[in-house]
Amino acid sequence: MQIDRLDPSDNTGAARWDAFVNACPEATFFHRAAWQGIIREVFRHPTYFLYAHDGGEIRGVLPLARVNSLLFGNALVALPFAVYGGVAADSAEAAALLEEEAQRLAIQLGVDHLEFRNLAARHADWPTQDLYVTFRKEILPEVEANMLAIPRKQRAMVRKGIKNGLSSHIDGNADRFFALFADNVHRHGTPALPKRYFAALLRAFGPDCEILTVTAPDGQPLSSVLSFYFRDEVLPYYAGDDEAARDFAANDFKYWELMRRACERGLRVFDYGRSKVGTGPYAFKKNWGFEAQPLHYEYRLYKRDSIPQNNPSNAKYRLFIAAWRRLPLVLANRLGPLIVRNLG
């Protein structure tokens, strides 16, 4: 068995890569080949999309990118800007060879650490980040059954949104989404990803990337979500809202509309995505009747003694968060991409 790298310009190779990803039970949306172009072109990070093959047949993939920053460290990650990653393979041999090559590459590049964002544990002896969990739940075949499966208090919020005359729309571009997203993250004191990133997602993934926006009866955009579609799953991934969204129950209505549409499309899994334990988004998802499932982010440390904590829960970022909230939104949107590109 041999290990090679996917050339970013090799469209035929990318198609073979994606055919394997679509068929491999271990693979996720974040193993798709198009992430290589997005990470290279939008964030300017070098990528190393490794694949194991035997007689020309792909047996495993491992998408990697290097994020090197004076502020946040030097890392080789599978995969930045993704909640899931690591190896996806159809054999233990392919998985082992890919991970060995990743470790060799990490040493060659001189990174501080190697990070695999695994759904399942792979290395009991590696340091593990236990900050994050994910929420996944079956979509029932009937729309009304999904409504009734929502716990009573949360269901009342969904019905409040319906009574308020809210409506949902599929947007053809990222304009309304980005305005809501950027305002939302600014209120929370964190930098926004660049608008061109969301435009790149829509271009690269086509119908598998979709924006749903909720509006008030007067047409005012209140809440929006960018979702990914993979096999029989829908993954609401990025979201934003207006300050008025809470009064209208627009966020509750938004996720219900996404679930309803997914049910009508015949999808089977609603992946509510990653949250930090003990946060508001964590509680919100539990209130929908979803159970937390641990994520196994595993690290190989080379030039550091502990797992990096580059997230808003880190107390050392409190002053930065407070200061960022006070920045004018226009300035924050200009500066934000320069910072967030190195967080991944």
Side-chain angles (χ1 to χ4, degrees):
M1 196 173 298
Q2 185 175 338
I3 304 296
D4 278 315
R5 294 182 193 172
L6 178 65
D7 187 322
S9 64
D10 182 1
N11 294 331
T12 301
R16 291 176 58 238
W17 174 295
D18 280 342
F20 173 82
V21 166
N22 194 55
C24 178
E26 290 186 348
T28 72
F29 184 85
F30 305 100
H31 287 89
R32 290 185 55 171
W35 285 104
Q36 177 156 230
I38 292 168
I39 290 171
R40 290 168 67 91
E41 293 164 17
V42 176
F43 300 108
R44 305 298 180 188
H45 295 313
T47 56
Y48 310 86
F49 274 42
L50 309 178
Y51 64 97
H53 60 101
D54 188 2
E57 180 184 359
I58 295 181
R59 305 295 305 276
V61 299
L62 175 54
L64 292 157
R66 183 186 184 185
V67 181
N68 188 5
S69 162
L70 290 174
L71 286 176
F72 305 112
N74 184 4
L76 187 61
V77 185
L79 187 70
F81 307 100
V83 295
Y84 310 140
V87 167
D90 64 9
S91 73
E93 180 188 3
L97 287 174
L98 285 164
E99 290 188 342
E100 288 169 10
E101 178 64 14
Q103 293 176 69
R104 187 197 66 78
L105 180 62
I107 293 170
Q108 177 187 319
L109 294 173
V111 300
D112 300 334
H113 69 273
L114 171 67
E115 176 183 352
F116 293 152
R117 297 180 178 179
N118 301 328
L119 276 166
R122 292 187 57 83
H123 300 281
D125 57 333
W126 287 21
T128 303
Q129 173 76 273
D130 58 2
L131 181 65
Y132 298 108
V133 296
T134 192
F135 294 84
R136 292 164 55 84
K137 189 177 180 181
E138 179 187 6
I139 299 173
L140 301 174
E142 302 295 331
V143 169
E144 187 58 24
N146 287 289
M147 174 68 84
L148 295 176
I150 302 171
R152 182 177 57 82
K153 289 184 179 180
Q154 199 67 42
R155 188 165 67 244
M157 294 299 293
V158 173
R159 296 198 186 281
K160 177 182 176 181
I162 295 171
K163 290 178 181 177
N164 283 334
L166 302 182
S167 57
S168 66
H169 314 268
I170 302 301
D171 288 356
N173 59 53
D175 292 348
R176 296 199 298 181
F177 165 82
F178 183 76
L180 292 165
F181 170 81
D183 182 60
N184 182 279
V185 297
H186 183 247
R187 295 198 309 268
H188 287 85
T190 55
L193 289 152
K195 186 177 181 180
R196 67 181 184 278
Y197 170 59
F198 301 108
L201 292 174
L202 291 171
R203 283 196 307 271
F205 295 116
D208 294 334
C209 179
E210 186 178 82
I211 291 174
L212 181 146
T213 299
V214 169
T215 60
D218 64 359
Q220 177 193 359
L222 293 173
S223 189
S224 190
V225 59
L226 183 150
S227 301
F228 299 131
Y229 292 88
F230 182 67
R231 295 193 287 235
D232 60 354
E233 304 178 10
V234 58
L235 300 81
Y237 200 63
Y238 294 109
D241 60 44
D242 187 84
E243 286 190 280
R246 179 173 294 185
D247 295 335
F248 284 88
N251 291 327
D252 310 270
F253 177 80
K254 172 180 68 183
Y255 289 114
W256 164 247
E257 280 293 282
L258 186 63
M259 185 179 291
R260 178 187 66 78
R261 289 169 180 261
C263 174
E264 291 176 348
R265 289 172 60 164
L267 302 182
R268 299 177 59 188
V269 176
F270 194 93
D271 186 330
Y272 231 147
R274 185 183 81 176
S275 290
K276 290 185 286 292
V277 175
T279 62
Y282 175 94
F284 181 81
K285 293 168 186 179
K286 285 190 70 70
N287 289 343
W288 274 73
F290 285 64
E291 291 299 323
Q293 302 171 31
L295 290 172
H296 302 271
Y297 286 12
E298 296 176 344
Y299 295 76
R300 192 68 189 268
L301 306 178
Y302 299 105
K303 297 181 180 180
R304 57 182 308 133
D305 299 324
S306 61
I307 293 172
Q309 299 295 333
N310 297 329
N311 63 79
S313 298
N314 190 332
K316 74 178 184 179
Y317 295 130
R318 282 179 187 160
L319 290 177
F320 171 84
I321 290 170
W324 196 265
R325 285 174 174 153
R326 293 194 292 270
L327 281 180
L329 181 59
V330 172
L331 180 59
N333 285 346
R334 286 185 181 177
L335 297 177
L338 302 176
I339 298 170
V340 77
R341 68 179 294 272
N342 293 315
L343 288 171

